[in-house]
Amino acid sequence: MNFKEKAMALLHDPPYKAFVVTGKIRENLCDDFNDISNLKAHEKHALCFAKEVLANTPLDPGDEILKLFDNVKEADHRASLVDRLNLPPETPLQSKIVLKNIINPKSYREIRGTIDLQRVRNEVAKPINNLLRLTNDEREAYHTLYIAYELLWLSKNLPLSPADTRIPTHTVFDHVYSTAMSYNIISKNPNNELYYIDVAGVQNFVSKARKLRDLWASSYLISLYAWLLVKDYVWEYGGDILIVPTARFNIFYYYSAINKFKNIQLRDNLTDIICKVIYANSNICDIKEFRYPRFPVVPATISIILPKGTKINEESIWAKIVDEAFNTNLLDDYQLDNKEIIKKIAKILPFFIRKGNLAFDNEPFGDVLKKARKMATQPFKITKTLTVDYKDGKYFINDIEIKTSPKNPKFGFDYCTMCGENPALVILPPEDDKYWENKDQVLLSPGEKLCPWCFTKRVFSINAHKAIPRLFGSSEETATMHFISVGDVASVSFKFKLDANYKDLEEIAKKYNLDKDEDPNIRMAIWKPYSTIIKNKKALITRESTSTYFNDINLRRELEGKLRGKYLTSSPHTYYSIIKGDGDNVGKILIGDLPFYNSLEEYLNDALNIDDATKKQNTINQIIGEDKRGDNNKLSRIVTPSYLSTVSSMLMRISIRDQLIIYDNYGFTIYTGGDDILAIAPNEIIELIDYNTKKVKEVLRYNPSINIVLKTRENYMGLPQSDHFDQYGLPLFPTSRSYAIYVIYYREPIYDAISSMNYLLDKAKESCWKLEDGREICKDTLIITDGDTEAYLPLERTELLHSLMQFLGDFKKEKKGLLSNSFIYDVISNEEILKRLKSDEYKKYVEFLIQRNLTSKDEGLVKAISLVFPIITRKVKVEKVEKIIDSEGKNNNCDKKEYYEIDDDTPFIVYLAKAYKIISR
């Protein structure tokens, strides 16, 4: 692999290119290339910048710099949207520099100011050069350049430049990183193909969980497995071989690469840069504080460029994960004499892998991706189970005789209590059995029955702090993750009260042997209350609540007795929320099917940076030609390496920031993948306690679950930053994301709720709303449920739920608002009346219900409060399937599908009241 040429691909355009092209910069970084007449101004800048960055490093091109520069031009053209569209070179350039969103170029940001070349030299070029000099290895140097280049620029808050001022839909970084990707496409040594790898059956695997740690482990194992399938290839050939997900902003890639570096100073310096840019607003930077990524970010589907004939070692990668999970002495106390049998069966791959690979030839990049994707996603059975065979009075799985421990089943074998699908090989005695004397009940609990796959999840969650670093190639000793339970999340305010009042509760803690300190050097907090708020690290507070005050009713009563009278409630809250979000239309966007445009002509009208309407239309006509119904007018033409590089980096940045939002709102991340999220969060209003007065000093003015939905949606769409750009000026998704919140009692099984989340999201996405301002919005919906009642809200108006909470006094210390809580029950009980009323009558009846429940004598408030309940209507998209039978009476999968809409006559105020009733449980 020619890493010097790849480095030149990354540096073939200067990061400030648009400032040169528009004449805002006239001087150069050096004079070395001034006499070469066939070079454009920005190319001379690129060569000077590259020379400054690479000098005296393993990637230094020396006298061959011009040769390498010419060698990457084909990759440059392959990556470029401008060259793909044959944009005429005489298209007028604008002096104004703008950056447009590649998905919806109606959204744009003007890039003002200029570039100080001394800053570029001193704050970017020289620091990168210094990093590259810390290694003598070309491969290490290239990975260093790949990681540091973009991040260093962003860390210095230098202005971004579009890659081309004529169609400014992506940054220079999007383009040069995609040029490095395209270098792999044109390379003949090795001869590469596009590989599309899909881990099938993910939802079924993840949903099988009893505890929060099981849920996290299920999700992490999928992400880890998908990454390990390609990790070694990424190190061998470079981060640029990844298409989706990208290696840019990818904490799994960063951690893998840094662990390969031999120089400790290089590792530490890169880690500092990563933490500064990616975790700027967080108290915890995973790879610095934990020394491994805490949360999964790699999706179960990967597009990657690999040498033709590459073998993906599916079974051996999973077996390696199982080996590391079981590599612990934590199991020794549980007397599992069938440990090796469990491990052997656990190594059977628990999901199917679907693959497709295609040569690039001269086909458009998007067409190759679409074909490979289609090959890899052919429908087949995606749920995998362990099949039991009966021979000669014995039971076998894959010819391995099964044996249970520490107990034996009464008859044959029992099924797993976590998944309910596979035979249990670990069967635990009931709680009153002597077996449990001096045994920790966190790893395994009384009465549990676990199959090999579910047992692997449990063991992995306990041994993650050792297994994850080893699987990423690190030999560093790391701290154990301090896992929490769903009971902890549900009762977070109660924990704050215990913390503030611990001196008064110390005798109780001693009585129940909960007065010992949890060693912070052994267990690292992964939940905000433990890492930044709670001061006392006593077992009473930090041990899982399901094994302390929730499990022991006498302990809970004594604690409540001590707290009674100090607060409005002295009992722990018992409900929490499961939150799932899924980006709308993301799959279509990845193949160029944009929700805002029907043709390339429409897209170019917004994307081209040409002010003169006539010149713009002439340019569009030259690109498309006369046949506007032909292939030249298809949107799929925009799918280039630069396009996918831009979209993929959007998703990765969204993923990291979603984690920070969940963390800041006292939630716990299960998965964030850019387009989708899965998290656990409190649904009670959080009370922060003053440690001096021991009184409530502040009630957070939001419900954490609702706030996670609103803030992650803003993050996804680039809001509240204007025009769908993030704090660095990089574009984010200007499309919607739908959500489901399932409010659940802490003792209820997680499995049922998790299993229903996709179904709930599908129902949410069937919604079309007509807002009070006349706009119509489809999808972009929040569904809130407790398993019995469902409430639908348009996400553009979900903040009204917080407004309702405010009127009801939820955010006040004394919990007294302008409306009494009976307002909620009045609205729900009057649902049928409200359905039948016309607009004016409806408004009057709403005002009547407000007035009836007003706690203030100021009747002028009625009109103000009624604004929280605008007239918003909902339609539901329904699919009708008509089976088409041929002359032989066969169907041949030729069903005719039609979609139509039906009115949902439930008034918005009723949904709002139902949502409040559920979320306030």
Side-chain angles (χ1 to χ4, degrees):
M1 180 55 64
N2 192 331
F3 287 111
K4 289 185 178 181
E5 284 196 355
K6 279 199 170 191
M8 188 55 65
L10 274 182
L11 299 171
H12 80 276
D13 275 338
Y16 48 87
K17 176 182 176 182
F19 292 89
V20 179
V21 171
T22 56
K24 293 181 183 292
I25 293 178
R26 298 195 180 277
E27 74 273 23
N28 205 338
L29 274 172
C30 69
D31 299 324
D32 297 16
F33 306 98
N34 288 350
D35 296 335
I36 304 176
S37 58
N38 64 337
L39 288 176
K40 298 175 183 177
H42 75 271
E43 292 176 328
K44 293 177 182 179
H45 273 268
L47 287 164
C48 288
F49 183 77
K51 189 173 181 180
E52 190 102 32
V53 167
L54 303 176
N56 301 312
T57 75
L59 300 173
D60 188 347
D63 295 336
E64 293 193 325
I65 188 168
L66 288 172
K67 179 184 175 183
L68 297 184
F69 189 76
D70 285 336
N71 288 351
V72 301
K73 282 186 176 178
E74 186 183 348
D76 175 21
H77 297 323
R78 185 90 185 211
S80 173
L81 178 60
V82 172
D83 293 312
R84 172 75 184 277
L85 295 176
N86 298 316
L87 195 65
E90 67 271 14
T91 301
L93 301 176
Q94 308 299 313
S95 60
K96 182 172 70 174
I97 301 174
V98 298
L99 184 60
K100 299 191 176 188
N101 191 292
I102 202 166
I103 298 171
N104 183 5
K106 287 186 179 73
S107 301
Y108 68 91
R109 173 171 291 175
E110 185 173 351
I111 310 297
R112 293 188 170 90
T114 186
I115 289 286
D116 181 345
L117 292 182
Q118 279 302 110
R119 284 193 66 196
V120 172
R121 175 181 283 111
N122 295 331
E123 297 181 23
V124 181
K126 285 185 177 178
I128 296 175
N129 181 263
N130 291 336
L131 289 170
L132 295 178
R133 292 185 188 206
L134 293 174
T135 178
N136 295 316
D137 182 85
E138 270 193 26
R139 180 175 283 105
E140 280 192 13
Y142 180 70
H143 282 284
T144 300
L145 176 64
Y146 193 93
I147 293 169
Y149 182 25
E150 182 173 21
L151 294 184
L152 255 176
W153 187 272
L154 293 176
S155 73
K156 303 303 178 183
N157 291 311
L158 290 163
L160 288 163
S161 165
D164 194 287
T165 55
R166 293 167 292 180
I167 184 163
T169 53
H170 49 280
T171 69
V172 167
F173 292 110
D174 293 326
H175 173 64
V176 297
Y177 277 81
S178 68
T179 301
M181 180 204 300
S182 297
Y183 180 86
N184 300 293
I185 298 173
I186 65 170
S187 172
K188 299 303 178 188
N189 185 26
N191 191 12
N192 293 317
E193 293 187 333
L194 173 68
Y195 280 71
Y196 190 92
I197 307 164
D198 180 52
V199 183
V202 169
Q203 297 300 331
N204 183 66
F205 184 81
V206 171
S207 66
K208 302 299 192 294
R210 292 193 75 227
K211 300 184 177 186
L212 184 51
R213 62 173 63 247
D214 302 332
L215 192 57
W216 172 87
S218 301
S219 181
Y220 203 102
L221 283 168
I222 292 285
S223 196
L224 177 63
Y225 174 72
W227 175 247
L228 292 180
L229 287 175
V230 299
K231 176 178 78 73
D232 291 343
Y233 299 117
V234 172
W235 174 252
E236 180 72 19
Y237 302 113
D240 45 70
I241 66 172
L242 279 169
I243 303 172
V244 181
T246 181
R248 296 162 65 197
F249 307 100
N250 186 331
I251 204 72
F252 273 40
Y253 164 65
Y254 292 159
Y255 183 63
S256 297
I258 286 172
N259 277 317
K260 288 281 190 178
F261 297 152
K262 302 175 186 69
N263 188 296
I264 294 175
Q265 185 182 348
L266 175 58
R267 292 165 65 174
D268 289 345
N269 289 350
L270 278 176
T271 299
D272 287 341
I273 295 168
I274 292 164
C275 291
K276 182 176 181 180
V277 175
I278 293 184
Y279 293 95
N281 300 317
S282 173
N283 292 311
I284 294 179
C285 175
D286 281 5
I287 60 174
K288 190 170 188 177
E289 299 299 325
F290 278 80
R291 296 291 176 180
Y292 58 90
R294 291 174 297 160
F295 300 112
V297 295
V298 173
T301 302
I302 293 178
S303 304
I304 189 170
I305 301 169
L306 291 172
K308 184 178 181 180
T310 297
K311 303 284 186 188
I312 306 296
N313 300 316
E314 304 153 19
E315 288 81 8
S316 63
I317 293 294
W318 176 251
K320 188 177 179 181
I321 292 173
V322 173
D323 280 334
E324 289 297 351
F326 278 71
N327 186 10
T328 175
N329 58 10
L330 292 170
L331 300 175
D332 295 349
D333 291 341
Y334 292 91
Q335 301 159 22
L336 301 178
D337 56 11
N338 63 340
K339 178 183 168 183
E340 291 305 314
I341 293 174
I342 297 170
K343 186 163 74 170
K344 200 170 182 180
I345 296 175
K347 288 182 179 180
I348 300 169
L349 196 60
F351 18 70
F352 294 99
I353 307 300
R354 302 185 289 193
K355 294 177 291 189
N357 58 290
L358 280 174
F360 288 98
D361 297 327
N362 290 315
E363 276 195 89
F365 190 81
D367 292 348
V368 177
L369 181 63
K370 195 181 294 187
K371 287 179 182 178
R373 185 181 181 185
K374 189 174 182 180
M375 287 172 62
T377 54
Q378 294 299 319
F380 63 91
K381 183 183 176 185
I382 60 173
T383 301
K384 208 168 184 182
T385 56
L386 294 169
T387 304
V388 178
D389 296 318
Y390 184 73
K391 302 175 187 175
D392 302 324
K394 298 177 182 179
Y395 293 96
F396 297 84
I397 296 175
N398 271 27
D399 293 326
I400 303 168
E401 183 181 351
I402 64 175
K403 179 183 177 182
T404 60
S405 179
K407 282 190 66 178
N408 292 318
K410 291 182 180 179
F411 307 101
F413 60 87
D414 288 339
Y415 280 99
C416 177
T417 52
M418 190 185 297
C419 68
E421 295 175 343
N422 298 309
L425 269 63
V426 177
I427 300 178
L428 282 308
E431 190 170 8
D432 57 359
D433 195 288
K434 288 184 178 180
Y435 171 85
W436 291 107
E437 290 179 5
N438 301 317
K439 287 187 177 65
D440 188 350
Q441 295 184 16
V442 172
L443 174 55
L444 300 172
S445 300
E448 280 192 305
K449 302 173 184 179
L450 300 175
C451 72
W453 288 338
C454 292
F455 185 71
T456 300
K457 295 179 186 181
R458 183 69 56 80
V459 175
F460 179 79
S461 74
I462 299 294
N463 199 34
H465 65 293
K466 293 183 178 179
I468 294 172
R470 287 195 294 250
L471 288 164
F472 273 93
S474 172
S475 58
E476 285 188 306
E477 188 67 28
T478 57
T480 308
M481 278 198 284
H482 188 164
F483 263 98
I484 58 175
S485 68
V486 293
D488 295 330
V489 178
S491 61
V492 60
S493 280
F494 187 70
K495 282 187 175 287
F496 292 157
K497 292 166 188 173
L498 295 181
D499 186 34
N501 291 274
Y502 183 75
K503 284 188 178 179
D504 299 334
L505 305 171
E506 195 165 12
E507 289 304 315
I508 299 175
K510 286 180 180 178
K511 178 180 174 180
Y512 290 89
N513 199 28
L514 297 170
D515 59 324
K516 303 295 187 294
D517 271 327
E518 298 284 347
D519 188 342
N521 296 316
I522 296 176
R523 300 208 296 173
M524 291 289 288
I526 54 175
W527 190 39
K528 183 177 180 178
Y530 287 163
S531 61
T532 64
I533 298 175
I534 288 175
K535 294 180 171 59
N536 290 294
K537 306 303 179 185
K538 305 294 184 181
L540 174 68
I541 299 161
T542 59
R543 193 167 293 176
E544 289 185 13
S545 60
T546 45
S547 65
T548 55
Y549 53 79
F550 274 134
N551 200 40
D552 191 326
I553 191 168
N554 293 322
L555 170 62
R556 185 169 74 249
R557 284 173 177 170
E558 289 191 46
L559 294 174
E560 290 170 344
K562 280 286 188 179
L563 297 175
R564 192 169 294 122
K566 293 185 178 183
Y567 309 101
L568 284 175
T569 174
S570 58
S571 300
H573 193 72
T574 55
Y575 286 84
Y576 68 97
S577 298
I578 302 173
I579 303 167
K580 186 172 175 66
D582 184 57
D584 300 326
N585 303 308
V586 174
K588 292 181 178 180
I589 288 169
L590 285 170
I591 58 174
D593 187 358
L594 303 181
F596 307 104
Y597 301 99
N598 295 311
S599 66
L600 181 60
E601 181 179 17
E602 287 181 23
Y603 179 83
L604 290 173
N605 194 55
D606 289 330
L608 289 171
N609 189 31
I610 304 174
D611 290 336
D612 187 285
T614 302
K615 290 179 179 178
K616 180 186 284 188
Q617 190 57 53
N618 288 339
T619 301
I620 292 172
N621 290 341
Q622 289 179 62
I623 293 170
I624 294 173
E626 296 181 3
D627 184 10
K628 294 191 176 181
R629 294 184 179 181
D631 289 344
N632 279 349
N633 202 17
K634 286 185 177 179
L635 268 171
S636 59
R637 289 184 69 191
I638 70 171
V639 183
T640 61
S642 289
Y643 174 87
L644 284 169
S645 177
T646 307
V647 173
S648 190
S649 73
M650 289 180 191
L651 293 172
M652 194 54 72
R653 294 199 314 279
I654 290 166
S655 170
I656 296 296
R657 291 194 191 144
D658 279 347
Q659 289 182 13
L660 302 183
I661 290 167
I662 294 164
Y663 174 84
D664 284 339
N665 285 274
Y666 308 98
F668 184 89
T669 299
I670 304 302
Y671 176 72
T672 59
D675 60 326
D676 51 359
I677 70 168
L678 181 61
I680 304 293
N683 73 333
E684 66 171 333
I685 305 301
I686 305 296
E687 296 174 320
L688 299 179
I689 312 298
D690 187 308
Y691 277 75
N692 294 320
T693 65
K694 299 178 184 177
K695 294 180 180 179
V696 177
K697 68 174 179 180
E698 182 186 0
V699 178
L700 299 186
R701 299 181 66 81
Y702 57 80
N703 176 288
S705 297
I706 299 297
N707 213 45
I708 286 172
V709 168
L710 294 177
K711 294 300 181 183
T712 55
R713 177 178 176 269
E714 287 176 1
N715 174 50
Y716 182 76
M717 297 176 68
L719 303 171
Q721 295 88 5
S722 62
D723 298 330
H724 310 298
F725 289 79
D726 69 12
Q727 64 198 48
Y728 297 114
L730 295 165
L732 294 179
F733 265 62
T735 60
S736 57
R737 187 197 245 172
S738 294
Y739 289 83
I741 293 179
Y742 198 119
V743 177
I744 180 172
Y745 184 59
Y746 83 98
R747 285 194 180 278
E748 288 183 38
I750 295 177
Y751 165 70
D752 291 334
I754 294 291
S755 298
S756 66
M757 295 305 272
N758 282 342
Y759 168 72
L760 292 169
L761 275 174
D762 287 342
K763 292 182 74 173
K765 293 187 178 197
E766 291 167 354
S767 302
C768 284
W769 300 92
K770 185 171 183 180
L771 304 182
E772 72 278 15
D773 58 11
R775 287 183 299 132
E776 292 190 3
I777 295 173
C778 289
K779 301 184 178 181
D780 201 22
T781 296
L782 167 65
I783 179 173
I784 301 176
T785 185
D786 57 4
D788 296 320
T789 304
E790 294 175 358
Y792 298 84
L793 300 175
L795 277 158
E796 283 211 14
R797 293 293 181 269
T798 300
E799 78 282 354
L800 295 178
L801 183 53
H802 273 155
S803 299
L804 175 58
M805 290 177 175
Q806 188 170 348
F807 286 130
L808 290 164
D810 283 10
F811 306 135
K812 294 185 177 181
K813 296 177 187 179
E814 65 279 3
K815 297 285 184 185
K816 185 177 180 182
L818 296 173
L819 288 174
S820 67
N821 277 342
S822 59
F823 173 76
I824 297 299
Y825 298 95
D826 274 359
V827 170
I828 294 172
S829 61
N830 281 277
E831 178 177 356
E832 294 304 318
I833 295 174
L834 288 164
K835 283 180 179 180
R836 294 195 296 268
L837 297 176
K838 301 297 182 185
S839 178
D840 290 339
E841 294 174 327
Y842 170 84
K843 289 178 181 178
K844 287 179 181 179
Y845 200 77
V846 168
E847 289 177 5
F848 160 72
L849 293 175
I850 293 170
Q851 190 170 27
R852 179 176 171 179
N853 291 279
L854 202 63
T855 61
S856 169
K857 294 181 179 179
D858 184 1
E859 295 189 3
L861 291 169
V862 173
K863 290 284 186 186
I865 294 173
S866 67
L867 295 176
V868 176
F869 313 113
I871 297 178
I872 296 174
T873 57
R874 175 176 176 258
K875 291 181 181 290
V876 183
K877 191 176 181 181
V878 178
E879 179 184 275
K880 181 181 178 182
V881 180
E882 181 183 348
K883 290 197 174 293
I884 308 298
I885 307 299
D886 62 19
S887 57
E888 298 179 359
K890 296 180 180 179
N891 175 240
N892 294 322
N893 294 319
C894 294
D895 295 340
K896 180 181 178 183
K897 294 183 179 180
E898 294 181 351
Y899 296 92
Y900 61 96
E901 292 180 341
I902 59 173
D903 290 325
D904 177 359
D905 59 357
T906 304
F908 176 69
I909 189 175
V910 174
Y911 275 144
L912 208 55
K914 288 180 178 180
Y916 175 85
K917 185 180 177 183
I918 296 167
I919 206 72
S920 301
R921 293 185 69 170

